């Protein structure tokens, strides 16, 4: 049996070597099954992990990949393990969204992204921990407990896709899927020193993703390089008739645009938003961000400053719209159609709903449902929900105006600080919400955004930069970041030690 070195395998190298017959898919599967089994509990990154069950679930897919190999059929993700956030459906597997309410719930079908991954030869390996229903920025609001950061276990992984970020950062899989409603891919990626991409709204099908806020949610890849993000995006993206918000935009050639595109940033104009550089931004993050921009500049990009005054209202806008949509989406979890039912007997139907929901949902989710119900209620709808929708349009328009002035990318830090200490923000919702300041604009505007590592702070915790691009410009977004990546070699130099 062939053995591999941790962190030595990328999705790209695995697919290449399995496709050309150099490596056996069984060896890859065995290596990762063992690695996850040995280490995942240290970080609490996976939910319901069982090695034997995981191994059984892979058997059919391994046969499929071997058959493709015999038929000399190229599979873009042949033998590539992909860890999946616990809110994306994989037929027959548990899907619990980090919630007590969904304990024991199994998916009846594959999400479109899972179907596409399977057809591309991927190994669906492990379900990853998350903040309950995607609500949170630290992964501390999960019924399974927090996910620990591989760079320092006293710190959070970020959230809500914390388990997926750690799965990649600790090499439990070269790539993972997360979901991003207000930053849940990009922020944990940044806290864990990896790459994360939120695609344009409508690029990736949401069919089979448990909805948090449907007008903001997107599934996206997390990886240790731009090339792997591009590879996974090319597989999961594209129109899907089963998602009415799925876009018919031509599919991108992401891996090709990285390998064949220009290797300089000549002609790229990168804007920084003046209002983003104000209070709340930690000095070390600010410095790292500015020096990364210098590197982008040295590679040929022009850096300009822009103003986006609407950004000051982005957080209230997001937290009104996201909670409003959540209160409606989560109404289906009533303990009858879905979810765990209260064990109390002798209750009427109304009490059954109330008790099941009271017992099943965690504190943060209840807070969001109440907020969302409030902003949608008669008398407040106009004052909050309708106003927030108008604000969203204004913000979107101003962002598009910036792009219309010849700006190809907008850069900001991915988060105002590095990973918080465990427990630091759990009692203070507002300060946790404020930490989403850089990421939510891309969701409100429906544009693609990625985060990638640029350095470490004095405590050795990763710092990330965020780049946003106009809608459906993922090719240029990924290519530009890859030019920086080749120059900085960050991934080669930095690894968490545990
Ligand atoms: N932290 C944000 C929230 O709690 C974003 C979460 C997400 O993107 N799922 O809503």
């Amino acid at each position: 049996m062939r053995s591999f070195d941790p962190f030595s395998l990328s999705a790209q190298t695995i697919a290449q070597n399995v496709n050309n017959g150099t490596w056996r898919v069984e060896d890859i599967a065995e290596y990762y099954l063992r690695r996850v089994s040995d280490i995942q509990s240290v970080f609490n990154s996976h939910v319901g992990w069982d090695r034997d069950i995981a191994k059984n679930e892979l058997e059919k897919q391994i046969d499929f990949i071997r058959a493709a190999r015999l038929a000399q059929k190229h599979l873009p993700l042949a033998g590539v393990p992909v860890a999946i956030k616990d809110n994306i459906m994989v037929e027959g597997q548990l899907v619990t969204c980090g919630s007590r309410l969904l304990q024991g719930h199994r998916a009846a079908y594959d999400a479109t992204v899972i179907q596409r991954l399977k057809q591309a030869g991927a190994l669906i390996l492990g379900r990853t921990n998350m903040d309950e229903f995607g609500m949170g920025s630290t992964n501390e609001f999960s019924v399974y407990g927090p996910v620990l950061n591989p760079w320092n276990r006293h710190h959070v992984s970020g959230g809500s896709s914390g388990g997926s970020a750690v799965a990649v950062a600790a090499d439990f899989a070269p790539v993972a899927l997360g979901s991003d409603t207000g930053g849940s891919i990009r922020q944990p990626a940044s806290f864990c020193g990896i790459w994360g991409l939120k695609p344009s709204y409508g690029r990736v099908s949401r069919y089979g993703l448990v909805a948090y806020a449907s007008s903001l949610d997107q599934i996206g890849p997390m990886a240790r390089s731009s090339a792997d993000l591009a590879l996974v995006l090319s597989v999961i993206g594209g129109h899907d008739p089963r998602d009415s918000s799925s876009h018919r935009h031509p599919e991108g050639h992401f891996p090709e645009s990285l390998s064949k595109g220009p290797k300089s940033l000549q002609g790229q104009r990168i804007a920084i938003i003046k209002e983003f550089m104000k209070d709340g931004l930690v000095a070390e993050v600010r410095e790292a961000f500015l020096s990364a921009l210098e590197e982008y500049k040295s590679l040929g990009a022009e850096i300009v400053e822009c103003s986006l005054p609407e950004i000051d209202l982005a957080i209230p806008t997001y937290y009104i719209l996201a909670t409003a949509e959540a209160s409606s989406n989560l109404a289906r979890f009533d303990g009858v159609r879905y979810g765990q039912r209260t064990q109390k007997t002798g209750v009427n139907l109304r009490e059954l709903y109330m008790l099941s929901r009271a017992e099943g949902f965690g504190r943060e989710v209840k807070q969001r449902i109440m907020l969302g119900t409030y902003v949608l209620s008669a008398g407040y709808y106009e004052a909050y929900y309708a106003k927030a929708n108008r604000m969203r349009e204004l913000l979107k328009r101003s962002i598009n105006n910036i792009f219309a002035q010849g700006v190809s990318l907008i850069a900001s830090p991915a988060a105002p600080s590095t990973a918080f200490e465990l427990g630091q923000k759990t009692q203070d919702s507002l300060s946790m919400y404020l930490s989403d300041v850089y990421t939510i604009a891309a969701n409100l505007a429906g544009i693609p955004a990625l985060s990638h590592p640029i350095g470490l702070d004095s405590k050795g915790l990763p710092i990330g930069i965020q780049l946003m691009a106009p809608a459906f410009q993922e090719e240029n977004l990924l290519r530009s970041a890859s030019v920086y990546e080749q120059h900085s070699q960050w991934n080669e130099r930095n690894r968490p030690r545990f």
Side-chain angles (χ1 to χ4, degrees):
M1 171 107 17
R2 179 189 275 273
S3 73
F4 299 96
D5 289 332
F7 299 102
S8 67
L9 301 180
S10 69
Q12 229 186 0
T13 42
I14 294 174
Q16 210 167 38
N17 284 290
V18 170
N19 275 320
N20 68 22
T22 313
W23 294 346
R24 295 183 337 143
V25 56
E26 299 90 314
D27 292 345
I28 308 278
E30 197 48 46
Y31 165 73
Y32 276 106
L33 280 166
R34 189 173 314 153
R35 186 162 170 85
V36 178
S37 302
D38 288 350
I39 319 179
Q40 63 81 22
S41 63
V42 174
F43 303 109
N44 198 26
S45 54
H46 285 56
V47 304
W49 174 259
D50 182 307
R51 184 187 198 279
D52 295 333
I53 294 177
K55 196 177 157 120
N56 277 338
E57 281 167 348
L58 287 182
E59 255 167 35
K60 223 170 87 192
Q61 185 68 354
I62 290 178
D63 286 346
F64 166 70
I65 298 162
R66 287 210 316 239
R69 161 90 199 106
L70 287 175
Q72 308 220 320
K73 189 169 170 258
H74 174 93
L75 296 172
L77 291 176
V80 175
V82 187
I84 308 290
K85 189 175 178 177
D86 191 28
N87 60 353
I88 301 173
M89 312 234 211
V90 180
E91 189 183 341
Q93 295 192 9
L94 288 169
V95 52
T96 69
C97 300
S99 180
R100 175 172 324 250
L101 196 119
L102 283 176
Q103 289 309 296
H105 187 76
R106 286 185 187 273
Y109 59 90
D110 276 339
T112 297
V113 290
I114 300 297
Q115 270 180 12
R116 291 185 180 177
L117 286 175
K118 286 180 176 173
Q119 279 158 14
L123 304 175
I124 305 301
L125 189 66
R127 302 202 56 80
T128 57
N129 199 346
M130 60 182 279
D131 283 301
E132 187 175 2
F133 289 103
M135 299 174 191
S137 308
T138 60
N139 219 124
E140 292 167 296
F141 300 138
S142 160
V143 69
Y144 307 105
V147 178
L148 310 186
N149 193 307
W151 297 81
N152 181 332
R153 274 176 258 162
H154 299 295
H155 289 254
V156 300
S157 57
S160 65
S161 314
S164 287
V166 170
V168 173
D171 197 20
F172 301 145
V175 286
L177 292 189
S179 67
D180 190 312
T181 307
S184 279
I185 288 176
R186 291 158 286 156
Q187 185 257 29
S190 153
F191 280 10
C192 292
I194 62 159
W195 290 65
L197 170 72
K198 182 204 87 74
S200 307
Y201 187 75
R203 165 79 75 189
V204 176
S205 169
R206 292 181 295 112
Y207 180 76
L209 167 71
V210 179
Y212 162 11
S214 316
S215 78
L216 302 158
D217 298 339
Q218 268 293 285
I219 295 174
M222 304 170 88
R224 293 193 298 270
S225 68
S226 59
D228 279 0
L229 285 187
L231 185 58
V232 176
L233 183 65
S234 68
V235 168
I236 63 173
H239 181 251
D240 177 14
R242 286 177 301 187
D243 170 2
S244 59
S245 61
S246 163
H247 214 280
R248 289 196 178 273
H249 202 275
E251 286 166 34
H253 300 282
F254 310 110
E256 294 78 2
S257 67
L258 292 202
S259 54
K260 302 205 181 93
K263 297 284 175 272
S264 111
L265 295 176
Q266 216 73 46
Q268 298 288 329
R269 186 180 284 172
I270 304 180
I272 56 172
I273 307 286
K274 204 165 68 189
E275 290 79 3
F276 272 164
M277 303 304 286
K278 293 194 302 201
D279 30 286
L281 176 57
V282 168
E284 277 185 289
V285 175
R286 186 195 170 92
E287 267 166 47
F289 169 65
L290 292 175
S291 74
L293 277 182
E294 279 305 312
E295 281 191 61
Y296 269 97
K297 196 169 158 186
S298 74
L299 294 164
E302 179 194 352
I303 312 290
V304 296
E305 199 184 70
C306 284
S307 176
L308 185 62
E310 291 86 354
I311 204 70
D312 287 344
L313 290 171
I315 288 184
T317 302
Y318 169 83
Y319 276 94
I320 289 171
L321 296 178
T323 56
E325 292 185 29
S327 72
S328 154
N329 276 328
L330 270 57
R332 62 171 66 95
F333 301 107
D334 55 11
V336 177
R337 286 171 303 169
Y338 304 96
Q340 257 193 15
R341 194 173 302 176
T342 181
Q343 296 299 308
K344 288 233 171 71
T345 50
V347 294
N348 65 30
L349 186 62
R350 191 179 149 79
E351 287 162 346
L352 180 102
Y353 287 152
M354 283 170 53
L355 282 168
S356 301
R357 287 166 68 82
E359 291 166 14
F361 288 134
R363 195 200 73 193
E364 181 65 22
V365 173
K366 285 179 186 159
Q367 176 166 305
R368 306 264 184 125
I369 292 174
M370 283 192 277
L371 257 172
T373 309
Y374 179 77
V375 299
L376 286 175
S377 56
Y380 296 104
Y381 183 93
E382 267 302 315
Y384 293 104
Y385 181 71
K387 199 188 266 179
N389 257 322
R390 288 198 293 277
M391 193 58 223
R392 178 182 189 171
E393 274 315 303
L394 284 179
L395 179 71
K396 198 170 167 177
R397 214 178 297 163
S398 298
I399 290 177
N400 287 336
N401 271 340
I402 294 179
F403 287 129
Q405 288 155 24
V407 164
S408 40
L409 300 165
I410 297 176
S412 74
S417 71
T418 53
F420 328 126
E421 269 178 49
L422 284 161
Q424 193 187 330
K425 303 230 179 206
T426 43
Q427 296 310 317
D428 183 355
S429 301
L430 188 61
S431 104
M432 195 180 288
Y433 297 172
L434 289 173
S435 71
D436 298 332
V437 58
Y438 300 125
T439 47
I440 52 185
N443 302 76
L444 290 167
I447 58 176
L450 63 74
S451 70
H452 72 70
I454 51 174
L456 299 175
D457 71 4
S458 49
K459 290 195 205 130
L461 290 165
I463 303 174
I465 192 174
Q466 172 183 245
L467 297 173
M468 298 184 261
F472 296 97
Q473 305 271 320
E474 280 92 341
E475 281 189 23
N476 190 49
L477 177 63
L478 286 162
R479 188 193 64 79
S480 303
S482 84
V483 173
Y484 171 93
E485 178 187 30
Q486 281 158 28
H487 175 75
S488 80
Q489 307 275 307
W490 196 91
N491 284 336
E492 310 303 317
R493 291 187 281 113
N494 296 289
R495 295 257 183 269
R497 303 202 195 291
F498 49 84

